[in-house]
Amino acid sequence: MLIDSHCHLNYKGLVEDQANVLDRSRAAGVDLMLNIATRESEWDAVLDTAVRESDVWATVGIHPHEADEHPHVDTAKLIERAAHPRVVGIGETGLDYYYDHSDRKRQQKSFRSHIAACRETGLPLIVHTRDAEEDTIRIMREEMEQGAYCGVIHCFTASGVFADAAMALGFYISISGIVTFKNARDLQETAARLPLDRLLVETDSPFLAPVPHRGKPCEPAYVADTARFLASLRGESVEQLAAATSANFRTLFAKVA
């Protein structure tokens, strides 16, 4: 059985057909799905899905793209909402300097607020980073000095050096369907050498459908395609990869029943 460690079931492209999306995921062998929040206005819907579906869990967080619009979402607000029994993580959060949809200083402040919430609740952090490796790892290291916390670098596309630095802080690395793309040579090299006990798999659906589903809305069922490719890349069986990544997920997201 597989776990999709990062999906957006309430995003356009999935939410209109959510019941069938979930049925197809279960048929594909997906045991659990983590439904990720990116803005406050969707927290209730993300949580409602997790309450309704026993194999779906939820997070609360503010994506770095949304930092400008959410100055009021501080550590206290995150902690308050994370108390719900179906909320098992904080995020996604982080830094995105590729699009710069929000001011970089506001992104950094929001990122630190999320980390503080993780430290207080003991829940893991879900980190998005794009074109911001230096500041991301700097902030993670500075905050780790203030007190330990855990988490995952989601939809990993950064450098091997960044992967090593994140793992040195105890973080997991989550691989998405991007690894199946022909032009993802650097990512494939990194993914092939990651320790099995630090590895997760995800879809980031409805985005980034893996081969052979390119051009379609991605959905959690497609994590099976990513897992097959990744297992072959690493010289492991799909069963071995599935068992390890599922165990890793449950270790990191310990609140999952």
Side-chain angles (χ1 to χ4, degrees), residues 20 24 48-49 67 79 141 163 168 176 178 184 191 199-201 226 231:
N20 288 322
R24 287 192 293 271
D48 286 348
T49 299
I79 291 171
R141 285 171 174 157
S176 74
I178 292 175
L199 194 61
L200 299 178
V201 286
T226 298

Side-chain angles (χ1 to χ4, degrees), residues 127 129 133 152-164 166-167 172-179 184 186-188 190-191 193-194 199-200 202 204 208:
V127 177
T129 183
E133 291 186 24
V152 56
I153 308 299
H154 110 88
C155 193
F156 185 84
T157 57
S159 67
V161 171
F162 181 88
D164 293 338
M167 289 188 294
Y172 290 76
I173 306 294
S174 184
I175 302 297
S176 74
I178 292 175
V179 77
D186 290 346
L187 174 59
Q188 291 166 6
T190 300
R193 68 168 180 81
L194 291 172
L199 194 61
L200 299 178
E202 66 170 87
D204 202 14
L208 306 173

Side-chain angles (χ1 to χ4, degrees), residues 2-253:
L2 287 158
I3 294 177
D4 184 356
S5 67
H6 193 113
C7 58
H8 301 280
L9 294 170
N10 294 83
Y11 271 24
K12 182 179 179 181
L14 296 184
V15 69
E16 305 92 335
D17 193 33
Q18 193 182 84
N20 288 322
V21 166
L22 292 171
D23 286 344
R24 287 192 293 271
S25 300
R26 293 158 185 155
V30 180
D31 190 29
L32 293 175
M33 290 155 272
L34 185 55
N35 196 20
I36 304 292
T38 58
R39 58 183 71 87
E40 187 181 16
S41 62
E42 69 190 25
W43 287 2
D44 287 342
V46 167
L47 187 52
D48 286 348
T49 299
V51 168
R52 187 176 65 250
E53 307 290 344
S54 63
D55 52 357
V56 176
W57 298 82
T59 71
V60 291
I62 304 299
H63 194 285
H65 289 341
E66 304 292 331
D68 281 353
E69 304 301 321
H70 291 80
H72 60 288
V73 176
D74 57 8
T75 298
K77 183 176 282 288
L78 291 164
I79 291 171
E80 177 185 4
R81 292 304 300 266
H84 192 284
R86 300 298 293 182
V87 174
V88 299
I90 305 292
E92 68 187 274
T93 181
L95 305 175
D96 194 311
Y97 295 172
Y98 180 81
Y99 287 110
D100 275 330
H101 287 332
S102 285
D103 175 79
R104 293 184 179 186
K105 293 298 183 183
R106 291 194 187 98
Q107 291 186 46
Q108 293 174 22
K109 182 178 180 181
S110 178
F111 190 22
R112 291 184 188 273
S113 294
H114 284 70
I115 293 173
C118 291
R119 190 182 295 118
E120 180 70 22
T121 62
L123 297 179
L125 185 73
I126 298 97
V127 177
H128 168 109
T129 183
R130 190 170 185 188
D131 282 10
E133 291 186 24
E134 184 176 344
D135 279 353
T136 300
I137 202 66
R138 174 181 58 81
I139 289 171
M140 288 171 60
R141 285 171 174 157
E142 289 174 357
E143 290 294 331
M144 196 67 74
E145 292 174 357
Q146 303 303 312
Y149 61 97
C150 61
V152 56
I153 308 299
H154 110 88
C155 193
F156 185 84
T157 57
S159 67
V161 171
F162 181 88
D164 293 338
M167 289 188 294
L169 292 175
F171 269 61
Y172 290 76
I173 306 294
S174 184
I175 302 297
S176 74
I178 292 175
V179 77
T180 70
F181 298 178
K182 289 182 179 179
N183 62 351
R185 300 297 185 190
D186 290 346
L187 174 59
Q188 291 166 6
E189 289 179 6
T190 300
R193 68 168 180 81
L194 291 172
L196 187 57
D197 64 356
R198 286 286 150 184
L199 194 61
L200 299 178
V201 286
E202 66 170 87
T203 59
D204 202 14
S205 51
F207 312 112
L208 306 173
V211 175
H213 305 288
R214 295 296 304 276
K216 302 177 183 177
C218 191
E219 54 185 72
Y222 298 167
V223 77
D225 298 279
T226 298
R228 279 191 290 270
F229 181 93
L230 188 57
S232 177
L233 179 70
R234 294 170 55 85
E236 298 160 350
S237 69
V238 176
E239 292 78 12
Q240 182 182 8
L241 183 82
T245 54
S246 295
N248 294 342
F249 179 92
R250 291 181 178 278
T251 297
L252 179 60
F253 293 95

